[in-house]
Amino acid sequence: MRVATQPIDGQKPGTSGLRKKTKVFMSKGYLENFIQSIFDATGGATGKTYVVGGDGRYFNDSATQTILKMAAANGAERVIVGQNALLSTPAASHLIRLMATDGGLILSASHNPGGPEEDFGVKFNTANGGPASEAVTEAILARTTEIREYFIADHTDIDLSRIGTQQIGGMEVSVIDPVADYAALMEGLFDFPAIRTMFAAGFRMRFDAMCAVTGPYAREILERRLGAAPGTVVNGDPLPDFGGMHPDPNPTWAQALMAEMFGPDAPDFGAASDGDGDRNMVVGRGIYVSPSDSLAVLAANAHLAPGYRGGLKGVARSMPTSTAADRVAEALGIGCYETPTGWKFFGNLLDAGKATLCGEESFGAGSDHVREKDGLWAVLLWLNILAERKESVSEIMSGHWHRFGRNYYSRHDYEALPVEVANRVMAGLRDKLASLPGQEVEGMTIGAADDFAYADPVDGSVSKGQGLRVVFTDGSRLVLRLSGTGTEGATIRLYLERYVAVPEGLADEVQAALAPVIRAAEALAGIRAETGRVAPDVIT
Ligand code: G16
């Protein structure tokens, strides 16, 4: 069936797909226009195979039905969909690759809250399993501005609870177990018997799935296959509104986990994951591991897991992520790449075999096993390392910092600011950048300052305007950029880093260690002065 439509403003994909308020996505023609634009901008759907699934948030199921009917009307041959329309982002990435499909549609606004009043999102991944490149998202956006019609099959809803094959006209719909293939992939990468032995010996863990998609994956892998105690996984049932939780695994939003890990009789290891299962937070007993440090530790120890015994080809991190991983790469004698924020920038490095491990300060880590970041993968690699080294998380961190030095690191978020205020702050610092080198602020000398631009070493494409950075001669850095994933106003992210070659101890307070850099940021960018905010909304 052909339906006439009109272009809808603002369908511009951000850091990771199109994210809007759920009500916007549910408004007439909104989802349909965007999906048709994806098909049109990628050479049509005729004869193609796609993977479809999402994180279970409100509107996930009916959006999936719409996409299935649109794929059928656009001539697709087959769609593989997770049972009950569920698929974590890394599991979807794996299926796209495993089944050699033409791509996938992932329904998620990731770590943003879900529900009728909250957020929804759609992301298109290409045949390599990774998020569409900027060139593809720009083509999709261009198509949304000229679209006049979309196609949708007039068909009853598919029973998505029933595993097996159904048809919409000539298109096959394969409803599959969302967990099985992913769990098998993990079993091939990690030493499950060693981890199982560790759990059997009394190792205790808490995994907070935050009422989002990783619950079924974590229960199957941690509790059933690895023998972690029943109840290790909490908030394990995916709910349309995530039980009112904000499924963003960081110390602010995963407070209950933090309290348990810092409380009496804490488990040995704690972890949390986000809405769609690609993020992770790792906590030891009484010690929080920042994502930047986690990447560095994973890089230094990955060879302990069977999937990485041959060593790493290289490591990649987003620009605002701390340089802790760079020191590990240097010691290992492997390449180290600095990309803009957004997992899509790692795709070429992974495809070209330049990097094996990638990570971001925004609680993302992953490897070349898929083309997305992967929350449970990071947790399993940590478990494998703990099982091999037979040390606690704090012993591992302390050993790492003594060997490589410590990159104190924190991110301060100022959320939902009026767009013009946020733009004014950014413009204020951007205008000064050229004059900064050589200046002294808070006793530190500025060595370099720029607006980060990235030239992809594989395809030569250049991405400009990727964050303002000020680097001090002692290795400290501050970075300022606007979030590309929010749905309300603008969010300024201030990333702070200070390197100390000989850290004094684990008890050092990170914010205190960063105090000079925090003061320098205010002196240079004036975020608090300009916005009137007295403190960040979120500190990670
Ligand atoms: C997405 C991207 C990540 C990025 C993060 C933060 O994560 O996939 O690569 O680091 O957004 O982006 P921003 O700082 O622009 O908000 P997710 O988990 O939301 O898909």
Side-chain angles (χ1 to χ4, degrees):
M1 182 169 81
R2 175 187 173 276
V3 181
T5 189
Q6 293 293 323
I8 299 172
D9 272 352
Q11 295 201 320
K12 181 176 167 41
T15 309
S16 184
L18 182 66
R19 290 187 193 170
K20 295 286 171 193
K21 288 288 168 207
T22 309
K23 280 196 171 142
V24 173
F25 256 107
M26 292 175 76
S27 62
K28 191 168 175 291
Y30 196 92
L31 174 70
E32 291 84 348
N33 271 19
F34 190 63
I35 299 298
Q36 187 67 49
S37 297
I38 293 173
F39 291 150
D40 292 350
T42 54
T46 307
K48 290 187 178 168
T49 299
Y50 297 101
V51 168
V52 177
D55 62 12
R57 70 180 60 222
Y58 189 83
F59 192 49
N60 187 60
D61 40 8
S62 52
T64 300
Q65 297 287 354
T66 299
I67 291 171
L68 291 173
K69 290 171 199 171
M70 288 188 68
N74 277 275
E77 191 176 298
R78 184 181 179 211
V79 173
I80 298 154
V81 55
Q83 187 181 26
N84 297 320
L86 291 180
L87 274 180
S88 77
T89 287
S93 179
H94 177 50
L95 281 171
I96 292 170
R97 297 163 64 76
L98 182 72
M99 309 287 197
T101 67
D102 297 284
L105 293 145
I106 303 174
L107 311 181
S108 171
S110 193
H111 54 288
N112 298 14
E117 303 302 327
E118 300 292 354
D119 294 353
F120 191 77
V122 174
K123 191 165 66 156
F124 177 64
N125 283 30
T126 43
N128 74 342
S133 66
E134 280 196 327
V136 173
T137 55
E138 273 159 25
I140 295 168
L141 171 64
R143 184 63 192 161
T144 66
T145 64
E146 57 197 25
I147 188 167
R148 295 279 172 231
E149 58 183 11
Y150 65 80
F151 298 91
I152 185 160
D154 188 10
H155 198 274
T156 50
D157 281 357
I158 288 287
D159 179 359
L160 291 173
S161 67
R162 186 157 57 85
I163 288 184
T165 300
Q166 299 166 62
Q167 292 283 136
I168 301 183
M171 186 183 86
E172 189 179 301
V173 180
S174 310
V175 181
I176 58 149
D177 174 347
V179 177
D181 291 307
Y182 177 83
L185 175 68
M186 294 299 116
E187 201 146 1
L189 289 173
F190 301 114
D191 189 346
F192 273 35
I195 304 173
R196 207 178 297 125
T197 303
M198 180 172 74
F199 277 120
F203 182 89
R204 287 186 304 133
M205 173 177 181
R206 177 72 63 235
F207 184 94
D208 191 341
M210 304 189 92
C211 300
V213 79
T214 30
Y217 295 85
R219 277 196 189 125
E220 171 63 26
I221 294 172
L222 298 174
E223 297 186 6
R224 291 198 196 98
R225 298 196 185 196
L226 292 171
T232 293
V233 178
V234 291
N235 298 315
D237 295 318
L239 300 173
D241 65 349
F242 304 125
M245 295 177 93
H246 187 151
D248 194 355
N250 64 38
T252 301
W253 296 115
Q255 270 161 6
L257 177 68
M258 290 296 283
E260 186 176 1
M261 295 307 297
F262 281 79
D265 196 32
D268 299 285
F269 185 60
S273 203
D274 70 332
D276 61 334
D278 56 3
R279 295 186 176 207
N280 77 92
M281 179 177 81
V282 162
V283 205
R285 184 187 293 131
I287 182 168
Y288 162 71
V289 183
S290 82
S292 295
D293 275 342
S294 180
L295 174 66
V297 169
L298 295 181
N301 294 280
H303 61 278
L304 298 174
Y308 305 94
R309 258 188 202 134
L312 307 177
K313 294 172 189 147
V315 177
R317 61 163 176 85
S318 65
M319 183 273 281
T321 304
S322 97
T323 54
D326 304 28
R327 296 172 199 283
V328 175
E330 199 185 342
L332 293 174
I334 56 175
C336 183
Y337 299 87
E338 185 176 46
T339 62
T341 295
W343 205 263
K344 57 182 174 239
F345 292 103
F346 294 134
N348 278 350
L349 297 172
L350 294 166
D351 286 348
K354 288 182 177 294
T356 308
L357 243 59
C358 305
E360 295 186 280
E361 54 65 40
S362 56
F363 297 84
S367 85
D368 57 1
H369 67 292
V370 289
R371 291 294 181 273
E372 287 278 5
K373 55 187 184 279
D374 187 344
L376 256 177
W377 167 90
V379 170
L380 290 167
L381 181 48
W382 261 100
L383 285 171
N384 202 146
I385 292 166
L386 290 164
E388 283 292 326
R389 289 189 46 163
K390 301 182 173 50
E391 290 174 296
S392 67
V393 173
S394 53
E395 283 163 348
I396 288 178
M397 293 316 300
S398 150
H400 188 90
W401 290 328
H402 277 98
R403 179 167 170 211
F404 295 99
R406 182 168 179 184
N407 293 74
Y408 288 96
Y409 187 83
S410 182
R411 189 179 90 192
H412 291 188
D413 291 342
Y414 294 83
E415 296 182 335
L417 294 165
V419 174
E420 60 285 2
V421 173
N423 286 340
R424 200 161 63 225
V425 173
M426 295 298 290
L429 181 59
R430 193 179 295 112
D431 290 347
K432 287 188 202 159
L433 289 173
S435 65
L436 292 182
Q439 283 190 30
E440 215 176 90
V441 195
E442 293 295 327
M444 301 176 298
T445 308
I446 299 173
D450 67 356
D451 191 348
F452 181 62
Y454 176 65
D456 187 305
V458 179
D459 66 15
S461 59
V462 174
S463 305
K464 294 185 175 158
Q466 298 293 332
L468 311 179
R469 66 179 169 178
V470 178
V471 185
F472 299 92
T473 51
D474 67 355
S476 300
R477 299 194 308 166
L478 63 91
V479 173
L480 211 66
R481 63 178 280 282
L482 295 180
S483 161
T485 57
T487 57
E488 253 180 80
T491 292
I492 293 180
R493 302 205 194 284
L494 169 64
Y495 310 83
L496 304 145
E497 176 176 0
R498 183 170 157 231
Y499 178 68
V500 176
V502 189
E504 273 162 19
L506 290 179
D508 289 351
E509 224 278 291
V510 174
Q511 300 303 317
L514 288 169
V517 191
I518 296 171
R519 288 196 300 270
E522 187 56 25
L524 292 170
I527 303 176
R528 295 178 197 196
E530 281 287 343
T531 63
R533 299 276 176 90
V534 290
D537 298 285
V538 173
I539 294 182
T540 65

